[in-house]
Amino acid sequence: LDGAIAAGLQVGVYFFSQALTPEEAEEEAYYVVEALEDYQEFITMPVVFDWEYISEEARTAEVDADTLTACAKAFCQEISDAGKKTMIYVSPWFGNLHLDQLNEYPQWIALYKDQMDYKHHFDMWQYTCTGSVPGVKGEVDINIFFPYWEGEVWP
Protein backbone atom coordinates (compact mmCIF):
# COMPACT_ATOMS: atom_id res chain seq x y z
CA LEU A 1 0.00 0.00 0.00
CA ASP A 2 2.70 2.45 0.95
CA GLY A 3 4.54 1.99 -2.36
CA ALA A 4 1.37 2.32 -4.42
CA ILE A 5 0.33 5.44 -2.51
CA ALA A 6 3.82 6.95 -2.93
CA ALA A 7 3.59 6.28 -6.68
CA GLY A 8 0.30 8.19 -6.84
CA LEU A 9 -1.80 5.15 -7.74
CA GLN A 10 -5.42 4.64 -6.81
CA VAL A 11 -5.44 2.00 -4.10
CA GLY A 12 -7.81 -0.82 -3.20
CA VAL A 13 -7.38 -4.21 -1.58
CA TYR A 14 -8.79 -7.68 -1.88
CA PHE A 15 -9.29 -10.25 0.83
CA PHE A 16 -8.82 -13.95 0.08
CA SER A 17 -11.73 -15.31 2.10
CA GLN A 18 -11.81 -18.72 3.69
CA ALA A 19 -15.16 -18.18 5.39
CA LEU A 20 -17.44 -21.16 5.93
CA THR A 21 -20.35 -19.10 7.23
CA PRO A 22 -21.69 -15.57 6.82
CA GLU A 23 -20.59 -14.89 10.41
CA GLU A 24 -17.00 -15.81 9.51
CA ALA A 25 -17.22 -13.56 6.44
CA GLU A 26 -18.34 -10.69 8.70
CA GLU A 27 -15.35 -11.34 10.99
CA GLU A 28 -13.06 -11.22 7.96
CA ALA A 29 -14.61 -7.89 6.93
CA TYR A 30 -14.08 -6.46 10.44
CA TYR A 31 -10.44 -7.53 10.22
CA VAL A 32 -10.00 -5.75 6.87
CA VAL A 33 -11.65 -2.55 8.09
CA GLU A 34 -9.39 -2.52 11.15
CA ALA A 35 -6.26 -3.26 9.08
CA LEU A 36 -7.07 -0.32 6.79
CA GLU A 37 -7.66 2.14 9.63
CA ASP A 38 -4.44 4.10 8.94
CA TYR A 39 -5.15 4.18 5.19
CA GLN A 40 -8.70 5.60 5.22
CA GLU A 41 -7.96 8.60 3.02
CA PHE A 42 -5.91 6.57 0.53
CA ILE A 43 -8.31 3.71 -0.24
CA THR A 44 -10.04 5.02 -3.35
CA MET A 45 -10.71 1.67 -5.03
CA PRO A 46 -12.83 -1.17 -3.66
CA VAL A 47 -12.25 -3.72 -0.93
CA VAL A 48 -12.80 -6.96 -2.82
CA PHE A 49 -14.21 -10.27 -1.58
CA ASP A 50 -12.10 -13.02 -3.19
CA TRP A 51 -13.11 -16.64 -2.60
CA GLU A 52 -11.44 -19.33 -4.66
CA TYR A 53 -11.56 -23.10 -4.73
CA ILE A 54 -8.24 -24.39 -3.39
CA SER A 55 -8.36 -28.18 -3.19
CA GLU A 56 -10.35 -31.12 -1.89
CA GLU A 57 -8.34 -30.93 1.35
CA ALA A 58 -9.04 -27.23 2.02
CA ARG A 59 -11.40 -26.32 4.85
CA THR A 60 -13.59 -24.60 2.24
CA ALA A 61 -13.85 -27.60 -0.11
CA GLU A 62 -17.46 -28.36 0.82
CA VAL A 63 -18.86 -24.81 0.74
CA ASP A 64 -22.01 -24.84 -1.40
CA ALA A 65 -23.29 -22.03 -3.64
CA ASP A 66 -25.95 -20.86 -1.18
CA THR A 67 -23.41 -20.52 1.64
CA LEU A 68 -20.77 -18.94 -0.57
CA THR A 69 -23.28 -16.38 -1.85
CA ALA A 70 -24.38 -15.60 1.73
CA CYS A 71 -20.71 -15.17 2.72
CA ALA A 72 -20.07 -12.77 -0.17
CA LYS A 73 -23.14 -10.73 0.78
CA ALA A 74 -22.17 -10.63 4.47
CA PHE A 75 -18.59 -9.52 3.74
CA CYS A 76 -19.66 -6.84 1.26
CA GLN A 77 -22.41 -5.53 3.54
CA GLU A 78 -19.95 -5.07 6.42
CA ILE A 79 -17.45 -3.32 4.15
CA SER A 80 -20.21 -1.06 2.78
CA ASP A 81 -21.46 -0.32 6.29
CA ALA A 82 -17.91 0.83 7.13
CA GLY A 83 -18.18 3.39 4.32
CA LYS A 84 -15.95 1.66 1.79
CA LYS A 85 -16.54 0.63 -1.79
CA THR A 86 -16.76 -3.11 -2.26
CA MET A 87 -16.62 -5.61 -5.10
CA ILE A 88 -16.75 -9.37 -5.63
CA TYR A 89 -13.99 -11.24 -7.46
CA VAL A 90 -15.53 -14.06 -9.50
CA SER A 91 -14.48 -16.68 -12.00
CA PRO A 92 -16.04 -19.71 -13.62
CA TRP A 93 -13.24 -21.75 -11.99
CA PHE A 94 -13.68 -20.62 -8.37
CA GLY A 95 -16.90 -22.33 -7.41
CA ASN A 96 -20.52 -21.49 -7.70
CA LEU A 97 -21.96 -18.16 -6.70
CA HIS A 98 -25.55 -17.15 -7.31
CA LEU A 99 -24.53 -14.09 -9.32
CA ASP A 100 -28.15 -13.03 -9.81
CA GLN A 101 -28.30 -12.50 -6.02
CA LEU A 102 -25.18 -10.31 -6.03
CA ASN A 103 -26.14 -7.70 -8.61
CA GLU A 104 -25.96 -4.88 -6.07
CA TYR A 105 -22.19 -5.35 -5.89
CA PRO A 106 -19.75 -4.63 -8.71
CA GLN A 107 -18.00 -7.74 -10.01
CA TRP A 108 -14.42 -8.36 -11.08
CA ILE A 109 -14.19 -11.35 -13.42
CA ALA A 110 -11.06 -13.45 -13.83
CA LEU A 111 -11.35 -14.97 -17.27
CA TYR A 112 -8.14 -15.56 -19.18
CA LYS A 113 -9.18 -15.22 -22.79
CA ASP A 114 -8.37 -12.95 -25.70
CA GLN A 115 -12.04 -12.18 -26.20
CA MET A 116 -14.76 -11.73 -23.59
CA ASP A 117 -17.60 -14.26 -23.70
CA TYR A 118 -18.84 -14.01 -20.10
CA LYS A 119 -22.61 -13.67 -20.02
CA HIS A 120 -23.01 -11.74 -16.73
CA HIS A 121 -22.41 -8.08 -15.96
CA PHE A 122 -18.88 -7.24 -14.79
CA ASP A 123 -17.03 -4.06 -13.89
CA MET A 124 -13.44 -5.24 -14.11
CA TRP A 125 -11.88 -7.94 -16.29
CA GLN A 126 -8.70 -9.79 -15.36
CA TYR A 127 -7.78 -11.15 -18.77
CA THR A 128 -4.35 -12.65 -18.08
CA CYS A 129 -2.14 -13.85 -15.27
CA THR A 130 0.98 -13.87 -17.44
CA GLY A 131 1.39 -10.14 -18.06
CA SER A 132 4.49 -8.07 -17.49
CA VAL A 133 4.96 -4.63 -15.96
CA PRO A 134 8.20 -2.64 -16.09
CA GLY A 135 9.93 -2.79 -12.72
CA VAL A 136 8.10 -5.92 -11.57
CA LYS A 137 9.89 -9.27 -11.70
CA GLY A 138 7.85 -12.22 -12.90
CA GLU A 139 4.38 -12.52 -14.35
CA VAL A 140 1.50 -10.39 -13.12
CA ASP A 141 -2.26 -10.24 -13.51
CA ILE A 142 -3.48 -7.60 -15.95
CA ASN A 143 -6.95 -6.07 -15.63
CA ILE A 144 -9.24 -3.63 -17.40
CA PHE A 145 -11.46 -1.52 -15.14
CA PHE A 146 -14.79 -0.15 -16.40
CA PRO A 147 -15.65 2.51 -13.77
CA TYR A 148 -19.36 2.74 -14.50
CA TRP A 149 -22.25 0.91 -12.91
CA GLU A 150 -25.60 0.97 -14.75
CA GLY A 151 -24.80 4.23 -16.52
CA GLU A 152 -23.71 6.09 -13.41
CA VAL A 153 -20.26 6.90 -12.11
CA TRP A 154 -19.16 3.89 -10.13
CA PRO A 155 -20.10 4.26 -6.46
Side-chain angles (χ1 to χ4, degrees), residues 82-98:
K84 296 180 179 15
K85 297 172 187 169
T86 189
M87 179 180 258
I88 299 172
Y89 185 66
V90 300
S91 175
W93 311 299
F94 294 168
N96 295 322
L97 276 169
H98 296 302

Side-chain angles (χ1 to χ4, degrees), residues 6-124:
L9 299 174
Q10 293 211 24
V11 179
V13 298
Y14 72 93
F15 187 83
F16 191 93
S17 175
Q18 291 293 279
L20 299 179
T21 66
E23 293 76 22
E24 282 187 17
E26 289 173 359
E27 289 175 20
E28 291 175 341
Y30 298 144
Y31 172 81
V32 172
V33 169
E34 189 173 294
L36 296 176
E37 189 68 35
D38 293 338
Y39 294 95
Q40 295 287 339
E41 64 187 278
F42 302 106
I43 304 297
T44 56
M45 296 293 286
V47 174
V48 181
F49 178 82
D50 176 6
W51 188 98
E52 302 178 27
Y53 178 78
I54 299 172
S55 73
E56 290 180 18
E57 292 80 34
R59 76 184 288 262
T60 55
E62 301 298 320
V63 174
D64 60 57
D66 291 339
T67 302
L68 178 53
T69 302
C71 288
K73 283 182 175 182
F75 181 93
C76 290
Q77 186 61 56
E78 291 302 321
I79 295 298
S80 294
D81 288 350
K84 296 180 179 15
K85 297 172 187 169
T86 189
M87 179 180 258
I88 299 172
Y89 185 66
V90 300
S91 175
W93 311 299
F94 294 168
N96 295 322
L97 276 169
H98 296 302
L99 295 175
D100 58 323
Q101 296 177 26
L102 298 169
N103 287 332
E104 66 192 277
Y105 301 109
Q107 295 178 13
W108 175 9
I109 178 74
L111 189 62
Y112 305 147
K113 295 186 172 189
D114 293 333
Q115 197 162 356
M116 176 52 70
D117 63 359
Y118 189 65
K119 297 184 187 326
H120 297 281
H121 176 84
F122 61 93
D123 301 274
M124 189 179 305

